[in-house]
Amino acid sequence: MDVLIELRRHRPDIARERIRTVVMAQRSRRAISPFVSGRLRHTTALATLAAGDLPAAARVLGKAEDIRSAVGRARVALAGNDPEQALRMLSGVVAPETSRRVRAEYLSLSVAAVALLGREDAAARSAIERLEAVLAESDQSLALALVPDTALAALAAAAERLALPGFAARAERARSWAMIASPGSVPRLTARERAVARELARHAAVAEIAAALTVSPNTVKSQLKGLYRKLGVGNRSDALRVLSAWGILHSDADIDLGRRDSRTEEG
């Protein structure tokens, strides 16, 4: 549990050190049950993956054929932006005796992989609805936070486009404390940053954004600097392109890329 707390705080290095200490303590004992050994292996792989070391996480999981290892390897594949490989690893591994937690993680990863592949048909909608029901019944919301961030962002965007706003909101909430980043992953924006992004799409001037958000122009300038830095851009046009491409802005209807950026930067 301490490891998950550190991962939720986005401190994977501390999480790795904690699980390493536990593993060493367990090894000092004469015998470790297969259950405890497996649990330590999976937690070590999770902390390693959260730290961004995908090859090491895969090595920790090895080639064990149990469902938890398959789920772990699929998570590594998704973190590496390989949804097809993730789906292959998850194919046919769920058994009737699978725990609720592992089943929720399995389904979350499967549906996110489908979303990352860009599938948005009736089958994809049905899969999201099934996942939503499973998460509600099993109270396993943690499963979404264990989906790699890029795939989770794709899932939230797909749910929005498939007219499932309730689940889209749930996925976005999970992104606020998602534990697994991906190389080149979509940045985690706070609720305030998302509000600023939405108004940035509608208005070109700082004064207009400030009026819409009921804050001062200086506050907006500060928030825009933080938003641009997080997106890795330097102006409004580039910010809107990135936000749209990553699905953070789900509709381009109110976006006018032709407006002058200087009005936003100078207010």
Side-chain angles (χ1 to χ4, degrees), residues 66-264:
D66 62 289
I67 181 174
R68 291 195 69 180
S69 295
V71 166
R73 287 191 290 270
R75 186 178 288 117
V76 172
L78 268 188
N81 293 320
D82 191 347
E84 293 181 342
Q85 177 71 356
L87 288 174
R88 284 194 294 270
M89 291 175 169
L90 293 170
S91 178
V93 299
V94 172
E97 66 274 12
T98 301
S99 69
R100 291 190 303 174
R101 174 179 171 177
V102 175
R103 187 178 293 273
E105 290 182 21
Y106 162 87
L107 192 55
S108 296
L109 291 169
S110 299
V111 177
V114 170
L116 198 56
L117 286 170
R119 299 175 188 169
E120 296 178 5
D121 52 15
R125 180 188 174 92
S126 177
I128 292 176
E129 290 174 332
R130 181 186 171 204
L131 172 58
E132 186 171 28
V134 167
L135 294 177
E137 293 171 2
S138 62
D139 192 26
Q140 293 291 331
S141 296
L142 178 65
L144 278 182
L146 293 175
V147 173
D149 190 60
T150 298
L152 187 55
L155 178 55
E160 186 73 26
R161 288 191 288 267
L162 288 168
L164 296 169
F167 185 85
R170 183 171 195 162
E172 287 293 353
R173 287 195 299 272
R175 282 199 70 218
S176 68
W177 50 288
M179 303 178 191
I180 312 297
S182 302
S185 62
V186 178
R188 301 183 183 96
L189 300 186
T190 64
R192 171 51 58 173
E193 288 169 336
R194 287 182 175 277
V196 171
R198 285 193 296 270
E199 296 307 325
L200 182 66
R202 298 173 182 142
H203 307 291
V206 165
E208 294 172 338
I209 298 173
L213 297 174
T214 321
V215 296
S216 72
N218 284 338
T219 297
V220 170
K221 289 179 181 179
S222 177
Q223 292 172 339
L224 283 173
K225 286 181 180 178
L227 178 64
Y228 287 177
R229 183 169 58 251
K230 187 172 285 190
L231 297 176
V233 300
N235 57 60
R236 176 178 182 269
S237 295
D238 288 343
L240 294 182
R241 289 191 182 98
V242 170
L243 290 164
S244 180
W246 281 341
I248 296 174
L249 293 178
H250 300 307
S251 171
D252 295 337
D254 298 324
I255 299 177
D256 180 359
L257 296 178
R259 295 176 180 174
R260 288 174 55 207
D261 293 309
S262 59
R263 292 179 60 201
T264 303

Side-chain angles (χ1 to χ4, degrees), residues 26-40:
Q26 289 291 333
R27 285 177 176 173
S28 67
R29 300 180 179 181
R30 292 185 177 181
I32 304 176
S33 70
F35 174 80
V36 172
S37 178
R39 190 165 186 174
L40 290 175

